[in-house]
Amino acid sequence: MSQKCVHKGCGKKFNDPEEPCTYHPGPPVFHEGQKGVRTPLLTGWTCCKPRVLTFDEFLSIPPCTTGKHSTIDETPAPPPAASSEEQSSILAPKPVAVSNGDSLPSRAPQSIPQAVPEKAPPEPESEGDDPSLPISPDTTCQRRGCGASSSTTTTSSREGETCVYHPGFPLFHEGSKGWTCCKRKVLEFDDFLRIEGCEKKDRHMFVGSGKKGKRANGGEEKVESVKHDFYQTPTTVHASLYLKKIKKADAKISFSSPTSLFVDLPTTDSKRYQEKIPLYASVDTEKSTWKIMGTKIELALVKADGQSWPVLRADERRTGEIIQVGKAGRA
């Protein structure tokens, strides 16, 4: 009788206990951004280095350890999160002594929330598999939360299939884990993976249409937009554009004008992000610099006029807040 391996990243059914198993021996890790700052949620595994920005990318991180299948979960528990009282004690402002003997609370550093651009809705998901495309064995259903694997390489009749899945997206907030499409929330990652889907379809989707995100002229996937954030000083705007596996030798970054940044960023996994970014204000194109990192590009945009930037892009929605850079004047 076949058994199911409980190792993270494996989950296969096996009959031979000596069969090699590739898995993650450590627990997952979710780096949630500081409260009030809209930064991407970095996810990964404690046992290996890759960190990604989306849940689909997280699920595709290749296992880092080879061993044998097991029916006993020996993954170490993640360290306990700090309680709300401990967090508040860490964030509480400390009193500052003044010359007359009184003490005043120091002002806690405040982050500046950035406006998030309204993105175009994603392309509709394929309703099912293209009958002309072959389905390899052990191919996992592409719908979130399903996890079913194919057991055939043919496109014969698949009557009786039922796909139970989540049409929404994963939602991780201050330790709570769930899906945007249903109400149930849990604390443990294993419990999150076991949340049953809230919608059903008559067929699984193992290969889809085979055309998602592909250009007709070369098979290269076009990245429509990337996540970004920034902070600023009186003279410089420090911005980050998040994109993994950028080909440094082929990347092109230039200023078409003091208020426009052009980026052409191909990646090693056949993707390309290309856009002319309208900047909020003018920059000194000669002094501005950039640096390509493992998962992002860091930009140092030197301000031409020293004014405060409420947003990075000129086409972003303003928050209505007045952001002061530098020291406040005394009344």
Side-chain angles (χ1 to χ4, degrees):
M1 180 178 179
S2 62
Q3 295 177 300
K4 187 173 182 179
C5 179
V6 298
H7 282 153
K8 302 293 188 297
C10 177
K12 294 182 179 179
K13 292 183 178 181
F14 68 96
N15 293 313
D16 182 7
E18 300 298 320
E19 181 180 276
C21 169
T22 55
Y23 65 101
H24 291 288
V29 59
F30 301 93
H31 292 293
E32 301 185 47
Q34 183 182 0
K35 294 181 181 179
V37 180
R38 293 183 178 271
T39 55
L41 174 68
L42 291 178
T43 64
W45 297 87
T46 56
C47 51
C48 49
K49 293 182 178 180
R51 294 293 181 267
V52 296
L53 301 176
T54 67
F55 186 72
D56 290 338
E57 291 174 323
F58 167 75
L59 292 179
S60 65
I61 295 176
C64 57
T65 301
T66 301
K68 297 179 181 179
H69 293 301
S70 174
T71 57
I72 301 175
D73 189 1
E74 299 176 348
T75 305
S83 64
S84 57
E85 294 181 358
E86 292 174 343
Q87 292 178 349
S88 57
S89 64
I90 294 173
L91 298 176
K94 298 180 179 180
V96 178
V98 293
S99 58
N100 61 4
D102 297 331
S103 63
L104 295 174
S106 62
R107 179 177 296 178
Q110 296 182 354
S111 58
I112 303 172
Q114 311 296 349
V116 178
E118 294 182 351
K119 297 181 180 179
E123 296 181 3
E125 182 188 73
S126 301
E127 289 298 319
D129 293 330
D130 186 338
S132 64
L133 297 177
I135 301 174
S136 301
D138 295 325
T139 301
T140 303
C141 179
Q142 296 181 10
R143 296 194 181 102
R144 299 180 183 90
C146 176
S149 298
S150 63
S151 57
T152 176
T153 58
T154 67
T155 56
S156 59
S157 175
R158 291 159 54 185
E159 295 294 335
E161 281 187 1
T162 301
C163 179
V164 183
Y165 70 103
H166 291 286
F169 296 90
L171 179 63
F172 301 95
H173 181 66
E174 296 184 355
S176 175
K177 302 171 181 64
W179 296 87
T180 58
C181 50
C182 47
K183 294 181 178 180
R184 186 182 176 190
K185 299 293 182 289
V186 296
L187 297 177
E188 301 297 330
F189 182 72
D190 288 344
D191 294 335
F192 163 76
L193 293 178
R194 288 193 287 265
I195 297 178
E196 188 177 5
C198 53
E199 288 197 11
K200 293 183 180 181
K201 284 187 180 293
D202 295 334
R203 299 283 190 280
H204 295 297
M205 188 173 70
F206 296 116
V207 294
S209 65
K211 301 178 181 179
K212 183 178 180 181
K214 297 294 182 181
R215 289 182 178 175
N217 60 359
E220 190 175 56
E221 182 177 346
K222 182 179 180 181
V223 179
E224 298 292 344
S225 62
V226 298
K227 296 180 180 179
H228 71 268
D229 59 16
F230 78 98
Y231 68 93
Q232 60 186 304
T233 67
T235 60
T236 309
V237 174
H238 298 272
S240 297
L241 305 179
Y242 293 90
L243 183 65
K244 298 192 307 176
K245 302 180 181 179
I246 300 172
K247 292 182 180 179
K248 294 184 179 181
D250 299 330
K252 298 178 182 178
I253 305 172
S254 61
F255 292 95
S256 51
S257 73
T259 58
S260 181
L261 174 68
F262 174 76
V263 294
D264 183 5
L265 308 176
T267 68
T268 57
D269 54 354
S270 300
K271 298 179 182 179
R272 182 180 293 268
Y273 171 58
Q274 189 178 76
E275 187 178 9
K276 185 177 181 181
I277 301 174
L279 301 174
Y280 174 78
S282 298
V283 300
D284 188 326
T285 58
E286 296 297 327
K287 296 181 180 180
S288 297
T289 60
W290 57 82
K291 183 179 181 180
I292 298 178
M293 312 290 284
T295 59
K296 63 181 178 178
I297 283 187
E298 291 185 349
L299 303 165
L301 306 174
V302 179
K303 299 177 182 179
D305 52 12
Q307 68 169 304
S308 175
W309 290 31
V311 291
L312 177 64
R313 301 173 55 118
D315 56 357
E316 286 184 284
R317 184 178 57 197
R318 307 325 190 249
T319 61
E321 296 177 302
I322 298 176
I323 301 176
Q324 178 177 307
V325 178
K327 296 182 178 179
R330 294 188 176 182

